[in-house]
């Protein structure tokens, strides 16, 4: 991946010259935030250590945003990219989760980041379906249906919540302005109904599991997946009480063990040995302090600046992606995984540019 980014950067500069680089550095607000995140990440890496994967992802994103001519991403190209991405995500989730019947923990890619990327592709595709061009609309609707199936196959409940709430809001708030043809609507409805029947066992099993976990928590048992998350969130104030500004970095494990020795962390949570705290905001607070949280909030909010001047379609795309990642951050750490982090940065950067030019 690093080699591909470097080759792409060299090719872009060779073909387009340095004007694209200068324009990106001057006008791309998302790039400014990414550069700030990269600089703070490098500081944190040498100060108290953070994930090298996240540093590599930020460095690649910085190079990509500096050199990439974002105006090349047209609606037609984005529709095809969504279709190809949706098919790839669906294949991954179906092949490992259903065909081979492998547990999510043994997949080659973490199932939750995979679901987040599938959901992001689905939301972009749904927004692109508001198009007067029939062929573009058909491609986008097909990408949306396939991506939705991939989200469901992932069995990631936090992503399910964020995704379907966002889809519902988009449909409710903007239904009158959707430019879908009757034929496209019929095709999408039929595909969703057929997919619903096919995916019914997967969804029902996950709902039953959720009901069981809620009942266990109500009875005082916090050893389930949801219960362990609640334990992680509850211990965060004790972890950061002396390191709230810059965080603990890799030393969060030592602090956690210290709290365990003091009886403030349970044996079950100790056995879990959490690498992160299943909430992006709390995890960033623990590892990078309030400075890291502020930069994370900037990454979520900066793409929304000037959104009122954008076209309806770009409003849907940008706001839905930000809402999805913000919601997914409540139960996972999408910005700590390289793949969903790179996808978010690429999408909001390109869409912010397109919305200004629209």
């Amino acid at each position: 991946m690093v080699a591909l980014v470097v080759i792409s950067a060299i090719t872009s500069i060779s073909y387009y010259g340095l004007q694209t680089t200068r324009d990106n550095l001057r006008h791309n607000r998302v790039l400014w935030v990414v550069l700030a995140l990269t600089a703070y990440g490098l500081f944190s890496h040498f100060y108290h250590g953070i994930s090298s994967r996240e540093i590599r992802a930020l460095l690649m994103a910085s190079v990509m945003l500096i050199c990439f001519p974002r105006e090349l991403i047209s609606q037609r190209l984005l529709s095809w990219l969504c279709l190809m991405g949706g098919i790839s995500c669906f294949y991954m989730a179906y092949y490992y989760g259903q065909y081979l019947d492998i547990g999510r923990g043994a997949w080659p890619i973490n199932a939750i980041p995979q679901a987040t990327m599938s959901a992001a592709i689905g939301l972009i595709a749904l927004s692109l379906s508001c198009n007067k061009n029939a062929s573009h609309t058909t491609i986008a609707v097909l990408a949306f249906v396939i991506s939705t199936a991939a989200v469901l196959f992932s069995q990631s409940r936090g992503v399910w919540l964020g995704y379907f709430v966002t889809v519902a809001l988009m449909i409710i708030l903007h239904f009158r302005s959707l430019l879908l043809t009757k034929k496209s609507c019929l095709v999408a409805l039929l595909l969703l109904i057929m997919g619903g029947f096919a995916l019914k066992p997967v969804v029902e099993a996950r709902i039953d599991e959720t009901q069981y976990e809620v009942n266990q928590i109500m009875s005082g048992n916090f050893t389930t997946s949801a219960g362990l998350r609640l334990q992680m969130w509850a211990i965060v104030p004790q972890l950061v009480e002396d390191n709230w500004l810059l965080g603990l970095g890799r030393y969060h494990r030592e602090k956690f063990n210290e709290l365990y020795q003091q009886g403030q962390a349970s044996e079950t949570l100790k056995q879990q040995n959490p690498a992160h705290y299943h909430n992006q905001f709390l995890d960033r607070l623990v590892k990078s302090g309030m400075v890291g949280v502020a930069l994370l909030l900037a990454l979520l909010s900066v793409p929304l600046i000037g959104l009122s001047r954008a076209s309806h379609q770009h409003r849907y795309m940008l706001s839905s992606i930000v809402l999805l990642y913000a919601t997914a951050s409540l139960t996972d750490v999408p910005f700590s995984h390289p793949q969903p982090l790179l996808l978010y940065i690429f999408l909001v950067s390109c869409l912010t540019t397109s919305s200004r030019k629209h």
Side-chain angles (χ1 to χ4, degrees), residues 93-162:
Y94 177 80
Y95 181 73
Y96 289 101
Q98 302 301 311
Y99 184 75
L100 296 181
D101 196 22
I102 296 176
R104 298 190 310 153
W107 289 12
I109 181 175
N110 189 311
I112 301 178
Q114 188 269 346
T116 304
M117 292 188 292
S118 303
I121 292 170
L123 291 174
I124 295 295
L126 179 61
S127 301
L128 288 171
S129 63
C130 311
N131 198 305
K132 294 181 180 180
N133 187 300
S135 61
H136 293 178
T137 298
T138 302
I139 294 169
V141 168
L142 186 59
F144 168 68
V145 173
I146 294 173
S147 299
T148 300
V151 172
L152 291 172
F153 275 133
S154 72
Q155 302 182 43
S156 301
R157 293 169 293 187
V159 179
W160 283 5
L161 176 63

Side-chain angles (χ1 to χ4, degrees), residues 173-186:
L173 295 177
H174 309 295
F175 181 79
R176 293 181 180 178
S177 61
L178 291 178
L179 301 176
L180 297 173
T181 64
K182 293 181 179 180
K183 182 178 179 180
S184 296
C185 287
L186 181 61

Side-chain angles (χ1 to χ4, degrees), residues 22-204:
R22 286 194 289 266
D23 289 343
N24 289 336
L25 288 170
R26 289 173 183 169
H27 305 299
N28 190 348
R29 295 191 186 98
V30 176
L31 172 58
W32 301 345
V33 177
V34 172
L35 290 175
L37 277 165
T38 304
Y40 184 65
L42 288 170
F43 163 76
S44 298
H45 181 71
F46 292 105
Y47 178 67
H48 51 36
I50 63 170
S51 170
S52 59
R53 296 182 307 164
E54 188 176 347
I55 291 293
R56 286 196 299 270
L58 288 170
L59 287 170
M60 286 190 293
S62 299
V63 173
M64 182 175 65
L65 295 191
I66 289 172
C67 301
F68 185 72
R70 295 165 293 158
E71 62 273 9
L72 295 180
I73 303 297
S74 63
Q75 288 192 14
R76 180 175 180 275
L77 177 58
L78 192 55
S79 297
W80 280 105
L81 289 174
C82 285
L83 180 60
M84 291 187 290
I87 292 173
S88 299
C89 290
F90 175 81
Y91 171 79
M92 178 71 71
Y94 177 80
Y95 181 73
Y96 289 101
Q98 302 301 311
Y99 184 75
L100 296 181
D101 196 22
I102 296 176
R104 298 190 310 153
W107 289 12
I109 181 175
N110 189 311
I112 301 178
Q114 188 269 346
T116 304
M117 292 188 292
S118 303
I121 292 170
L123 291 174
I124 295 295
L126 179 61
S127 301
L128 288 171
S129 63
C130 311
N131 198 305
K132 294 181 180 180
N133 187 300
S135 61
H136 293 178
T137 298
T138 302
I139 294 169
V141 168
L142 186 59
F144 168 68
V145 173
I146 294 173
S147 299
T148 300
V151 172
L152 291 172
F153 275 133
S154 72
Q155 302 182 43
S156 301
R157 293 169 293 187
V159 179
W160 283 5
L161 176 63
Y163 181 63
F164 289 109
V165 166
T166 305
V167 168
L169 286 173
M170 290 176 67
I171 293 175
I172 293 171
L173 295 177
H174 309 295
F175 181 79
R176 293 181 180 178
S177 61
L178 291 178
L179 301 176
L180 297 173
T181 64
K182 293 181 179 180
K183 182 178 179 180
S184 296
C185 287
L186 181 61
V187 171
L189 182 61
L190 289 174
L191 288 173
L192 286 173
I193 292 174
M194 293 170 60
F197 281 109
L199 295 168
K200 183 180 178 182
V202 176
V203 176
E204 283 186 339

Side-chain angles (χ1 to χ4, degrees), residues 88-353:
S88 299
C89 290
F90 175 81
Y91 171 79
M92 178 71 71
Y94 177 80
Y95 181 73
Y96 289 101
Q98 302 301 311
Y99 184 75
L100 296 181
D101 196 22
I102 296 176
R104 298 190 310 153
W107 289 12
I109 181 175
N110 189 311
I112 301 178
Q114 188 269 346
T116 304
M117 292 188 292
S118 303
I121 292 170
L123 291 174
I124 295 295
L126 179 61
S127 301
L128 288 171
S129 63
C130 311
N131 198 305
K132 294 181 180 180
N133 187 300
S135 61
H136 293 178
T137 298
T138 302
I139 294 169
V141 168
L142 186 59
F144 168 68
V145 173
I146 294 173
S147 299
T148 300
V151 172
L152 291 172
F153 275 133
S154 72
Q155 302 182 43
S156 301
R157 293 169 293 187
V159 179
W160 283 5
L161 176 63
Y163 181 63
F164 289 109
V165 166
T166 305
V167 168
L169 286 173
M170 290 176 67
I171 293 175
I172 293 171
L173 295 177
H174 309 295
F175 181 79
R176 293 181 180 178
S177 61
L178 291 178
L179 301 176
L180 297 173
T181 64
K182 293 181 179 180
K183 182 178 179 180
S184 296
C185 287
L186 181 61
V187 171
L189 182 61
L190 289 174
L191 288 173
L192 286 173
I193 292 174
M194 293 170 60
F197 281 109
L199 295 168
K200 183 180 178 182
V202 176
V203 176
E204 283 186 339
R206 204 60 173 152
I207 290 174
D208 291 341
E209 183 178 349
T210 302
Q211 291 176 338
Y212 170 78
E213 292 187 4
V214 170
N215 292 333
Q216 290 298 304
I217 291 173
M218 295 298 291
S219 64
N221 179 11
F222 288 84
T223 61
T224 62
S225 176
L228 288 170
R229 280 172 166 80
L230 292 176
Q231 290 189 60
M232 291 179 197
W233 301 343
I235 204 174
V236 166
Q238 287 82 8
L239 287 170
V240 301
E241 61 182 355
D242 298 322
N243 301 275
W244 59 270
L245 183 61
L246 299 178
L248 291 162
R250 66 174 178 270
Y251 299 110
H252 74 98
R253 292 184 184 275
E254 284 80 353
K255 182 65 174 180
F256 175 85
N257 290 332
E258 179 183 326
L259 293 175
Y260 169 72
Q261 295 297 331
Q262 297 172 0
Q264 299 185 51
S266 69
E267 178 67 30
T268 306
L269 191 58
K270 176 66 170 63
Q271 293 175 357
Q272 187 75 13
N273 191 24
H276 61 78
Y277 295 87
H278 282 278
N279 180 297
Q280 186 71 73
F281 305 103
L282 296 180
D283 186 74
R284 191 58 57 96
L285 179 62
V286 169
K287 297 175 182 176
S288 301
M290 287 302 300
V291 177
V293 173
L295 289 171
L296 173 62
L297 292 175
L299 189 61
L300 285 167
S301 58
V302 164
L304 302 179
I305 296 176
L307 202 61
S308 60
R309 299 189 298 273
S311 68
H312 287 295
Q313 190 174 62
H314 282 91
R315 288 182 198 175
Y316 304 158
M317 287 190 280
L318 278 169
S319 59
S320 64
I321 292 299
V322 170
L323 180 59
L324 170 70
Y325 273 75
T327 308
S329 294
L330 297 177
T331 55
D332 192 51
V333 287
F335 292 103
S336 298
H337 296 288
Q339 302 93 338
L341 173 62
L342 284 171
L343 180 62
Y344 175 86
I345 291 173
F346 177 77
L347 286 174
V348 297
S349 177
C350 291
L351 293 173
T352 302
T353 301

